[in-house]
């Protein structure tokens, strides 16, 4: 058969699809229709039976049938047949309409920038002074924040920020995204052996950089994915958007049978470096760094043998109805204060840590019953009842032991204080937060992708046993606290390139000196 010739559309004319209809598009349409055919047939049968029973009841045939059955020995058999048929039909309907599909994390990849992107702390002070945008007080303030931030000398920033003047154009921001995310996607596809055209859905989350065409469209274009791929681009959702993207992928995998979903989490630094002098907006300059991760998820049961994890729970909570929480992380111009210059940046409120604590409480209160052992839940309930009867001052609140629910915890690397507070509030041991501290030290606050660098550290340095439970915990503007719980499908001891040659002893020495 000769290949179908596709006519090129003329400029300023809408393409006439009738000129050439490809057979593959017809096959796709038939597949979409046929994949829900069993459920449609069962629904049609159920509807026909219901109509027939209604008609028999209306005409009196059902009553006459029951009378005949009552006068003979058919009553019991008739009832048994009707009930058995009804139960069987209900079971078949439930199987096709109510079943949930598994959500597997086949594999993931974390981007490691080249050494030329490294941004040591001394280099930070040099570049901030060289760009001549900051006052001496602002430079000194940033140096002090950076010294006790928990970041090391091997974090990364786009090379354009070191240029004079800094390269922060739209093309520079696109170039950063392409370097980070195209590399991560290419790596995860190579790891899994999945071709780009096998992917059914693409989800990208990047809070502050949202060009047109979208970032998800850029990935689809670069990897030449199929024309029927569903894509989503999540913006403005802060550092916890990675878990939101996973939740969206979970929902898509419940609707789309036998497919793969590609999730990409990143944040773009190029156009979001603050060049003003308001202190509350300078802190992100000291913490945020380059990073990105690509995850391949699937609901194909044949993937269960090689998939790393299966998603068990996603819990999303927010405090958006609270004005203080809503306004604690805001992108705006520095329009207030003595250093107001109308420069865009992200303002962090002094109440951020307290609000994060409230968001964490709301999240773990919802998550606890899903993951904690019954014994811990009973102790918590008894303590809550006792505090109501005896008074809150007479009885200390009981904090459930989440160490009994998880073998590994991946805390978002929002900052040294965030990790310290979560360790304290949840009574975690240093072993549980070591991976998050290492990620903050090695890569800084890499926004929504940080939880994947933490998991990569755990796999590379500690290993994960089959059945281990992993808790990913993220915070974001709005204000949100989100959790994802995974169970390991197999033993995992992958060596991720992002953690090659990492010196843990040096990290401990550096952090001890910065206290």
């Amino acid at each position: 058969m000769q290949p179908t010739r596709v006519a090129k559309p003329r400029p300023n004319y809408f393409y006439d699809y009738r000129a050439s209809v490809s057979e593959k598009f017809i096959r796709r349409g038939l597949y979409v229709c046929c994949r829900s055919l069993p459920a449609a047939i069962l629904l049609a049968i159920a509807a026909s039976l219901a109509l027939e029973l209604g008609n028999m009841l209306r005409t009196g045939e059902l009553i006459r049938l029951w009378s005949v059955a009552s006068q003979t020995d058919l009553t019991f058999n008739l009832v048994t047949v009707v009930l058995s048929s009804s139960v069987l039909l209900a079971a078949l309907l439930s199987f096709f309409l109510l079943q949930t599909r598994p959500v597997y994390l086949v594999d993931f990849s974390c981007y490691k920038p080249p050494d030329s992107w490294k941004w040591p702390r001394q280099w930070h002070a040099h570049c901030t002074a060289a760009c001549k945008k900051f006052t001496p007080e602002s430079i000194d303030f940033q140096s002090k924040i950076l010294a006790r931030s928990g970041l090391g000398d091997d974090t990364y920033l786009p090379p354009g920020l070191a240029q004079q003047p800094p390269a922060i154009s739209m093309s520079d921001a696109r170039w950063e995204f392409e370097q980070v995310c195209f590399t991560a996607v290419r790596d995860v596809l190579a790891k899994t052996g999945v071709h780009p055209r096998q992917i059914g859905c693409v989800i990208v989350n990047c809070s502050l950089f949202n060009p047109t065409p979208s970032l998800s469209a850029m990935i689809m274009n670069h990897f030449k994915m199929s024309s029927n791929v569903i894509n989503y681009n999540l913006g403005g959702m802060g550092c916890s958007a990675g878990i939101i993207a996973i939740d969206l992928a979970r929902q898509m995998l419940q609707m789309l049978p036998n497919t793969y979903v590609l999730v990409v989490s990143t944040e773009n630094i190029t156009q979001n470096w603050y060049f003003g002098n308001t202190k509350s907006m300078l802190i992100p300059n000291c913490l945020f760094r380059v990073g990105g991760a690509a995850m391949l998820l699937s609901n194909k049961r044949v993937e269960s043998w090689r998939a790393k994890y299966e998603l068990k729970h996603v819990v999303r909570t927010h405090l958006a109805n609270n004005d203080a929480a809503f306004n604690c992380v805001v992108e705006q111009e520095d329009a207030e204060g003595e250093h107001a210059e109308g420069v865009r940046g992200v303002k962090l409120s002094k109440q951020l840590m307290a609000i994060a604590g409230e968001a964490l409480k709301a999240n773990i209160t919802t998550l606890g019953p899903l993951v904690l052992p019954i014994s811990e839940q009973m102790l918590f309930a008894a303590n809550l009842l006792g505090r109501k009867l005896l008074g809150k001052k007479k009885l200390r609140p009981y904090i459930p032991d989440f160490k009994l629910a998880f073998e590994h915890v991946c805390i978002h690397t929002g900052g040294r204080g965030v990790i310290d507070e979560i360790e304290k509030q949840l009574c975690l041991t240093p072993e549980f937060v070591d991976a998050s501290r290492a990620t903050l030290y090695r890569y800084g606050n890499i926004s929504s992708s940080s939880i994947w660098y933490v998991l990569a550290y755990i796999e590379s340095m500690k290993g994960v046993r089959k059945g281990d439970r992993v808790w990913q915990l993220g915070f974001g503007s709005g204000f949100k606290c989100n959790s994802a719980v995974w169970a390991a499908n197999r033993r995992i001891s992958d060596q991720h390139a992002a953690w090659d040659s990492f010196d843990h002893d040096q990290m401990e020495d550096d952090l001890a000196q910065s206290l």
Side-chain angles (χ1 to χ4, degrees), residues 335-480:
E336 299 178 359
E338 59 178 316
H339 296 296
E341 302 170 14
V343 180
R344 184 176 61 86
V346 176
K347 180 181 178 181
L348 303 182
S349 168
K350 293 180 179 179
Q351 298 177 288
L352 178 58
M353 293 300 296
I355 289 168
E358 286 296 313
L360 175 65
K361 181 175 69 174
N363 191 266
I364 63 175
T365 302
T366 307
L367 179 67
L370 299 174
V371 297
L372 286 170
I374 296 296
S375 58
E376 286 297 302
Q377 297 188 45
M378 292 177 66
L379 286 172
F380 178 78
N383 176 265
L384 185 64
L385 180 62
R387 281 166 58 81
K388 285 188 175 295
L389 295 176
L390 302 176
K392 294 183 178 180
K393 293 183 179 180
K394 293 184 179 180
L395 191 64
R396 295 181 61 185
Y398 177 73
I399 304 299
D401 189 357
F402 278 88
K403 298 189 296 295
L404 299 176
F406 306 106
E407 283 71 37
H408 309 282
V409 179
C410 304
I411 303 169
H412 161 57
T413 58
R416 193 173 191 169
V418 173
I419 299 173
D420 288 344
E421 280 301 310
I422 292 176
E423 179 184 13
K424 177 183 175 182
Q425 294 292 332
L426 298 182
C427 302
L428 300 175
T429 59
E431 290 76 15
F432 276 89
V433 298
D434 178 64
S436 296
R437 292 195 191 283
T439 302
L440 178 65
Y441 176 81
R442 180 65 181 83
Y443 288 96
N445 183 343
I446 40 181
S447 191
S448 58
S449 65
S450 65
I451 53 176
W452 297 104
Y453 284 79
V454 177
L455 185 55
Y457 176 92
I458 293 171
E459 291 184 359
S460 300
M461 302 297 181
K462 302 178 180 180
V464 178
R465 296 171 300 178
K466 182 178 180 180
D468 279 2
R469 296 155 297 179
V470 179
W471 179 19
Q472 291 181 318
L473 177 64
F475 299 88
S477 57
F479 190 85
K480 298 181 285 292

Side-chain angles (χ1 to χ4, degrees), residues 124-155:
H124 185 282
H126 169 76
C127 289
T128 51
C131 73
K132 299 179 181 180
K133 298 286 186 180
F134 303 102
T135 64
E137 292 80 8
S138 294
I139 296 171
D140 183 59
F141 174 76
Q142 291 183 74
S143 297
K144 288 179 179 179
I145 293 292
L146 194 56
R148 45 181 199 267
S149 64
L151 275 68
D153 283 330
D154 290 336
T155 59

